[in-house]
Amino acid sequence: MTEGWESGGPPRLLLIESQGGPERDSAFRRDAATRVLTGQAVLLFLVQDGVVLAVPGSDEDLDRFQKSGGVLAADGFSLGQRGLDTELLRPEVRVVGMDVVAGWILDPAVRVMWH
């Protein structure tokens, strides 16, 4: 599992981004970066069209999010559907399956927001 995201423990925030491309409204990603800067434990999960943001240099807000200590994960199935090579993703992106995400969602210490 992703470090710091084991079951139990302090409250954590799981943000799920399903909309892709830097041209899309980035308020959700800016909010993720702000929450990390205020000390919240945040994992941003990219799924569906959102996985295009896992490409390095695709979004300044995600750059800030990761530099501030936010955890970034991407859905392996969505990456494969879009022909994105997992070797060419942003540094530190965790590629996971929906079984792992389901565990995060079902954890009572995790709050979930989907965009």
Side-chain angles (χ1 to χ4, degrees), residues 1-7 12 94 96 99-101 103-104 107:
M1 218 179 244
T2 301
E3 185 177 329
W5 280 81
E6 294 79 15
S7 185
R12 297 171 313 280
R94 280 94 166 159
V96 299
D99 57 330
V100 173
V101 178
W104 294 334
D107 186 332

Side-chain angles (χ1 to χ4, degrees), residues 13 15 26-36 42 61 113:
L13 182 61
L15 301 177
S26 66
F28 191 71
R29 298 183 299 277
R30 274 194 309 274
D31 182 53
T34 300
R35 288 174 181 272
V36 171
V42 181
D61 293 307
M113 293 173 27

Side-chain angles (χ1 to χ4, degrees), residues 4-109:
W5 280 81
E6 294 79 15
S7 185
R12 297 171 313 280
L13 182 61
L14 171 61
L15 301 177
I16 301 173
E17 176 64 89
S18 62
Q19 300 178 26
E23 70 282 350
R24 303 288 292 202
D25 179 20
S26 66
F28 191 71
R29 298 183 299 277
R30 274 194 309 274
D31 182 53
T34 300
R35 288 174 181 272
V36 171
L37 287 169
T38 62
Q40 294 183 19
V42 181
L43 188 150
L44 181 59
F45 176 66
L46 305 174
V47 66
Q48 298 170 328
D49 289 338
V51 297
V52 300
L53 296 166
V55 175
S58 62
D59 187 81
E60 290 178 11
D61 293 307
L62 282 185
D63 296 341
R64 191 169 31 262
F65 172 77
Q66 286 188 287
K67 286 178 186 170
S68 301
V71 177
L72 188 62
D75 175 46
F77 180 77
S78 296
L79 288 166
Q81 279 189 316
R82 285 148 186 87
L84 294 172
D85 185 346
T86 58
E87 299 296 318
L88 302 176
L89 301 180
R90 293 170 166 272
E92 312 266 331
V93 171
R94 280 94 166 159
V95 177
V96 299
M98 292 307 286
D99 57 330
V100 173
V101 178
W104 294 334
I105 290 171
L106 295 173
D107 186 332

